[in-house]
Amino acid sequence: MKLMFASDIHGSAYYAQKLKDTYIKEGAKRLVLLGDLLYHGPRNDLPKDYAPKKVIEILNSLSEDILCVRGNCDSEVDQMVLDFPVLADYAVLYLDGIRVYITHGHIYNPQNPPKLKKGDILMNGHTHISADEEGEIFRYLNPGSVSIPKSGQKPSYMIYENGVFTIKEL
């Protein structure tokens, strides 16, 4: 099954629409969002076309396809307007027999990992920097940020297909 992973939309209607268009073009079966959907947060500048109400409409149009975990900028009020669950701190997926622990990254991350076994994958957003790093115990993946990438990176997402994770520019 082809999956698309993305994080840190931060209320950008421009990038939310680009994400939706790319999701449809990719032909993925599910969109896994790693949090920070509607609010830009006090440490970030406003992203391009900051319009959380438009982001709500865009994401709700994909609600049947979305699996989401809560980011540090997401709250109960966001759940009131979104048609899919957004308040789980983490989720666990099994892809081709490999356990993938997905979370936003503000609690669990490579410096503070959850309990993982050798060969597991930890995937989070939060840093706004894409990554694919093989560690001693676990592999660390980060799709980067859809709307506010950092460290000179471009807006990005990740695709999982046929056992392979690929980071792509949005």
Side-chain angles (χ1 to χ4, degrees), residues 59-75:
L59 294 179
N60 279 343
S61 73
L62 297 170
S63 64
E64 293 179 355
D65 293 354
I66 293 176
L67 170 66
C68 184
V69 295
R70 179 182 67 87
N72 59 305
C73 293
D74 301 323
S75 69

Side-chain angles (χ1 to χ4, degrees), residues 3-155:
L3 303 174
M4 183 174 186
F5 295 87
S7 189
D8 299 283
I9 298 168
H10 286 292
S12 171
Y14 174 82
Y15 285 108
Q17 187 62 55
K18 266 190 102 155
L19 180 66
K20 178 181 177 178
D21 294 345
T22 302
Y23 173 71
I24 292 166
K25 183 178 177 185
E26 284 279 4
K29 297 295 180 202
R30 295 286 184 266
L31 176 58
V32 183
L33 298 175
L34 305 180
D36 284 0
L37 307 178
L38 303 178
Y39 179 57
H40 70 286
R43 297 182 305 172
N44 296 312
D45 292 331
L46 287 175
K48 183 175 183 173
D49 293 338
Y50 182 69
K53 288 182 180 180
K54 288 183 184 176
V55 174
I56 292 164
E57 291 175 26
I58 293 164
L59 294 179
N60 279 343
S61 73
L62 297 170
S63 64
E64 293 179 355
D65 293 354
I66 293 176
L67 170 66
C68 184
V69 295
R70 179 182 67 87
N72 59 305
C73 293
D74 301 323
S75 69
E76 288 81 6
V77 71
D78 300 332
Q79 186 62 82
M80 294 169 64
V81 296
L82 292 167
D83 295 338
F84 52 92
V86 299
L87 296 177
D89 286 328
Y90 68 92
V92 176
L93 303 176
Y94 286 89
L95 302 176
D96 298 319
I98 297 172
R99 183 170 75 155
V100 182
Y101 187 100
I102 63 170
T103 188
H104 181 63
H106 62 295
I107 298 171
Y108 293 113
N109 52 59
Q111 293 74 39
N112 183 42
K115 295 290 182 190
L116 298 170
K117 293 174 79 174
K118 190 165 182 63
D120 285 349
I121 293 173
L122 171 62
M123 181 186 293
N124 65 258
H126 185 60
T127 64
H128 299 223
I129 300 169
S130 61
D132 184 349
E133 302 167 359
E134 191 65 52
E136 197 173 302
I137 296 177
F138 61 90
R139 182 178 177 187
Y140 170 63
L141 299 172
N142 188 321
S145 174
V146 169
S147 70
I148 310 173
K150 296 186 178 173
S151 293
Q153 294 192 351
K154 298 194 183 225

